[in-house]
Amino acid sequence: MNFKYYAAFINERIARQAKWDSRFLALAEQVALWSKDPSTKCGAVITRPGNFVVSVGYNGFPSGCDDADELYTAKETKYSRVVHAETNAVLSARQSVEGCTIYVTPIPPCDRCASTLIQAGIIRVVHPEIDVSKIERWRAAFDSAMKMYREAGVEVVSVRARSATESGQGAEASGRDGSGEQNASGNA
């Protein structure tokens, strides 16, 4: 096979996947707006190969439970009741999510969600690139999640948002950020 042709083919596939990653992260941002949590609105979109949406989820209380605004402001109550966006997306899926990708925003999945995603068969996790200093209180949970992803062979992609004038595409995959995350091509 001609190397130049093969390299162009691979580069085109990477660019096409980056475009889909950007689209599905934007959709996850829209889903996050459905959350009643006043402090952190999280959204998740699960897709199967071929870029078909399987399920969506946002952080909120279990179906049928009281979700009055004041329950979200009482942190202990909120933390004990909330179902994370990733878990809601897995539970809402009407088909197996084995072999699927999950797009999560605005922060990566915690260790609790990572174990659910791994057990459900998710093989790829995509989230926006984050400023680690803004999420320091969750750092141990994210580090634990990354360790589990590495052990289970789950690909993790951190996507850096770009201005429309930079690319016209909206986002691009970033390289490793010290946490072991890969860019869209799987390279370090």
Side-chain angles (χ1 to χ4, degrees):
M1 180 177 270
N2 181 330
F3 178 75
K4 285 183 181 180
Y5 171 79
Y6 182 72
F9 173 77
I10 294 298
N11 287 337
E12 182 181 325
R13 283 190 68 191
I14 291 168
R16 190 173 32 233
Q17 186 60 57
K19 193 173 188 178
W20 280 107
D21 288 350
S22 177
R23 289 173 177 165
F24 287 128
L25 278 175
L27 180 56
E29 289 172 3
Q30 290 300 308
V31 172
L33 296 176
W34 303 343
S35 173
K36 289 182 75 173
D37 188 334
S39 63
T40 308
K41 295 183 179 298
C42 297
V45 175
I46 298 176
T47 64
R48 67 175 191 223
N51 298 313
F52 296 96
V53 174
V54 171
S55 183
V56 299
Y58 56 92
N59 58 318
F61 293 162
S63 297
C65 291
D66 185 4
D67 69 344
D69 291 343
E70 60 270 8
L71 294 174
Y72 284 94
T73 58
K75 286 194 184 232
E76 289 303 316
T77 301
K78 179 177 86 167
Y79 291 152
S80 70
R81 293 174 66 117
V82 75
V83 179
H84 291 187
E86 302 91 330
T87 300
N88 261 329
V90 168
L91 293 173
S92 297
R94 298 296 178 232
Q95 66 186 63
S96 170
V97 296
E98 189 167 350
C100 289
T101 295
I102 190 165
Y103 296 86
V104 182
T105 192
I107 56 178
C110 67
D111 52 353
R112 195 171 94 197
C113 289
S115 62
T116 298
L117 298 175
I118 292 165
Q119 196 67 14
I122 296 288
I123 61 168
R124 188 167 178 263
V125 176
V126 181
H127 64 81
E129 185 176 69
I130 52 169
D131 178 353
V132 178
S133 67
K134 292 182 180 178
I135 55 142
E136 192 58 43
R137 64 183 168 153
W138 297 305
R139 182 64 182 205
F142 295 146
D143 288 347
S144 176
M146 285 305 300
K147 183 176 188 300
M148 286 190 284
Y149 292 140
R150 281 191 296 275
E151 291 171 3
V154 173
E155 179 185 8
V156 176
V157 180
S158 178
V159 175
R160 180 175 66 91
R162 298 194 322 182
S163 71
T165 57
E166 276 185 283
S167 69
Q169 301 295 322
E172 74 173 18
S174 67
R176 291 185 189 241
D177 66 1
S179 64
E181 297 182 13
Q182 297 179 338
N183 63 22
S185 66
N187 295 329

